[in-house]
Amino acid sequence: MRILLTNDDGISAPGLAGLYQAVADLGEVTVVAPATPQSATGRAITLDAPVVCERVAAGAFEGVAVAGSPADAVKIAIHHLMDDPPDLVLAGINAGANVGINVFYSGTVAAAAEGAMFDVASVAFSLAGGGPMDFVRAAGLCRWVLDSLLARGLGPGELINVNIPTMTPSGPKGVKVVPQGTSAISETYYRQDAPDGRIIFRLADYYEHGPQDGQTDVSALEDGFITVTPLHSDLTDRAGAARLRQTPWGVPPR
Ligand code: MN
C-alpha cells in the first residue's frame, strides 16, 4: 500500500512522527508536510508565491518539507513528488481536537479533504488537549482505528475524521460514529488600543463549543469516546435547493 502522510503542524511535529511509526509497516510511506506550523489554515492554497520544497530528515523518516499550506503539500505530493498516486492519505496526528465547526478551519482535515478530492481514501487524525500529549500512545489508537477502517474497506475519495479524546490512564471508552457538530463557538479576542490609534486583536487560546443538537463529535469526544465522522466536500443544502427551485426566477435581464 502506498501512503501519503502529512499534517498541518509541520514536518517536525511529534504527532507526525508518532503516526509515521504507527503506520510504517503498512507499506511505502511518503512524508510530505508543511515546513512550518499551518494550523487553522483550512483549505488555503498558495496562489501568488513560489512554493519551495526541501528534502529533510526528521528523525525516523525522510520527507519533503513544503513551504506552503497542508493542501499545497498534498497537491504537490500527488502531482509531482510521488511516482504513483497514493492508495491512502493520512493527516496528523494533530495536536488538538478537530471537531464541531473547527473542522472548517482545520488544516489537518483540509489535507485529508484534499486527498479525497484526488479520489484517494483519506483519514484525518487529531488528539484532544487537556491531558498528556502522548503521541506514541495516541498513534497506537489511531492505528487501531485505521485497521478497522481498512478491514471494512475504504472507498476512493472516502474522507474520515478521527479524534482521540483527552488522554486518561484508563483510555478511551469506545468508538462512536457521530455527525459533525455545527454549533457556534464562544471565543474571546484580547483587545489592545495602541497610542497611534491602531487597534490590535489577538484570539485567546481558549474557547467553548455551544450546546450540541443531539450527539455530535463534540459531545462524544467530551464524553471520552474516539469519534469517527465521515465527511464529504459537497456543502449543498439539498432542502434549501429544493425550496429555491420553487422561486419564480423569470427570465434574466439583458
Ligand atoms: Mn494543527
Side-chain angles (χ1 to χ4, degrees):
M1 185 160 55
R2 280 185 311 278
I3 297 173
L4 170 60
L5 176 60
T6 189
N7 73 350
D8 80 348
D9 292 334
I11 198 158
S12 308
L16 182 74
L19 192 54
Y20 176 86
Q21 299 275 19
V23 303
D25 67 302
L26 283 175
E28 183 190 324
V29 182
T30 303
V31 182
V32 182
T36 57
Q38 298 289 317
S39 292
T41 55
R43 297 196 182 188
I45 55 171
T46 303
L47 290 182
D48 52 2
V51 178
V52 179
C53 301
E54 189 180 4
R55 291 207 170 274
V56 294
F61 58 85
E62 285 187 10
V64 177
V66 175
S69 69
D72 287 331
V74 172
K75 282 181 190 291
I76 289 169
I78 295 179
H79 280 308
H80 285 286
L81 301 178
M82 299 182 78
D83 293 332
D84 297 296
D87 304 304
L88 186 63
V89 172
L90 302 177
I93 304 167
N94 187 63
N98 278 308
V99 290
I101 63 166
N102 282 339
V103 166
F104 293 114
Y105 309 115
S106 168
T108 308
V109 175
E114 193 64 40
M117 284 192 277
F118 280 92
D119 258 348
V120 179
S122 301
V123 188
F125 292 103
S126 305
L127 169 62
M133 296 310 272
D134 182 346
F135 287 109
V136 174
R137 194 165 150 227
L141 290 163
C142 293
R143 172 61 190 268
W144 177 78
V145 172
L146 182 62
D147 282 343
S148 287
L149 291 171
L150 292 173
R152 188 218 52 167
L154 283 168
E158 211 167 325
L159 172 59
I160 313 278
N161 185 30
V162 175
N163 281 270
I164 306 297
T166 302
M167 287 276 169
T168 61
S170 54
K173 289 179 186 165
V175 177
K176 290 219 163 158
V177 177
V178 276
Q180 179 195 353
T182 53
S183 71
I185 280 174
S186 84
E187 61 200 353
T188 303
Y189 278 90
Y190 296 114
R191 174 179 175 147
Q192 192 186 342
D193 290 87
D196 62 5
R198 291 183 299 169
I199 313 169
I200 301 151
F201 293 98
R202 191 166 58 80
L203 187 57
D205 62 1
Y206 58 88
Y207 61 86
E208 256 179 54
H209 292 278
Q212 300 298 298
D213 188 12
Q215 192 169 59
T216 66
D217 53 358
V218 173
S219 58
L221 193 71
E222 279 173 1
D223 290 345
F225 289 88
I226 295 173
T227 64
V228 176
T229 303
L231 300 172
H232 52 59
S233 293
D234 179 358
L235 300 179
T236 311
D237 168 3
R238 302 204 177 263
R243 286 194 302 275
L244 282 173
R245 282 192 196 99
Q246 307 304 315
T247 299
W249 292 105
V251 178
R254 292 194 181 212

